[in-house]
Amino acid sequence: MQGLMDWTTSLVIQNGEFTQNAFVALWILAFAESSFFPIPPDIPFIMMGAIQPKMALFMAFLLSTASVIGGALGYGIGLYGGRPLVEWMVNTRFIGRIFNQQKFDMVETYYQKYDVWAVLIAAFTPIPYKVFTIGGGLCRIHFWKFMLVSLIGRSSRFFLVGGALYFFGDHAQILVKNFDKFLVGMLVLGVLGFVAMKYMVPAKNKA
């Protein structure tokens, strides 16, 4: 996995500079990661943002579009491949490290409880997003609702990181070391915001 991570990084950065097709490679990485590729694009994104912080928001846009379109592919894999495909993935040695049965069971539980809003959980947690996209098709979640929430969740994730890189590019290594904690913290803040809105709106209507 470390060798694969180094390879993905070499696609966008070499000798401390962007490669000739860095932005194309970043888009492809985000697209592939949403459906089948094991390495998330976040670390290459953060490293690129540290080199050129002013391009971070543009890169966040690229990542958001690629990830949502790739999520549609993952949805199709789950929808048309079905459980036989999931069982094959779980039992395959290398792929099973990412697509294990425990993760699929957890994702299925999330979808049963939260419907498409489970995608927001995927956007802000270390759980591989591809498991949610394939799980969405497997559970036959409404496609366009899935796409809308996927757009909200992935855009929020990448633009939060992009904004941090834009304003604090020199300290990007802090994001690398604490990336999962950062995203979970954003999820907690988002949940608290939704809870606050839930109680504020009825109070306003009563008034």
Side-chain angles (χ1 to χ4, degrees), residues 51-62:
I51 296 173
Q52 292 193 23
K54 299 306 178 184
M55 297 293 294
L57 296 180
F58 172 69
M59 288 186 278
F61 171 76
L62 291 180

Side-chain angles (χ1 to χ4, degrees), residues 81-153:
R83 295 197 178 276
L85 176 62
V86 171
E87 291 177 3
W88 174 81
M89 295 168 71
V90 168
N91 294 319
T92 301
R93 184 176 179 181
F94 179 75
I95 301 177
R97 295 180 182 180
I98 303 167
F99 299 98
N100 60 57
Q101 190 63 51
Q102 183 180 7
K103 287 179 181 176
F104 272 113
D105 291 342
M106 178 177 59
V107 168
E108 194 167 13
T109 300
Y110 279 147
Y111 273 126
Q112 290 172 354
K113 188 172 182 179
Y114 302 111
D115 196 53
V116 293
W117 295 105
V119 177
L120 288 178
I121 297 175
F124 291 98
T125 62
I127 304 172
Y129 181 61
K130 62 188 72 61
V131 181
F132 274 84
T133 64
I134 295 174
L138 187 66
C139 297
R140 298 185 179 275
I141 299 299
H142 188 280
F143 176 73
W144 290 113
K145 288 182 179 179
F146 168 85
M147 290 295 286
L148 176 60
V149 178
S150 183
L151 176 62
I152 294 171

Side-chain angles (χ1 to χ4, degrees), residues 4-38:
L4 195 57
M5 173 68 78
D6 294 339
W7 176 75
T8 58
T9 302
S10 70
L11 294 176
V12 298
I13 297 175
Q14 291 183 4
N15 300 320
E17 296 182 356
F18 287 6
T19 61
Q20 184 176 358
N21 299 308
F23 294 119
V24 174
L26 187 66
W27 194 98
I28 293 174
L29 286 173
F31 172 84
E33 187 273 336
S34 294
S35 52
F36 61 88
F37 193 64

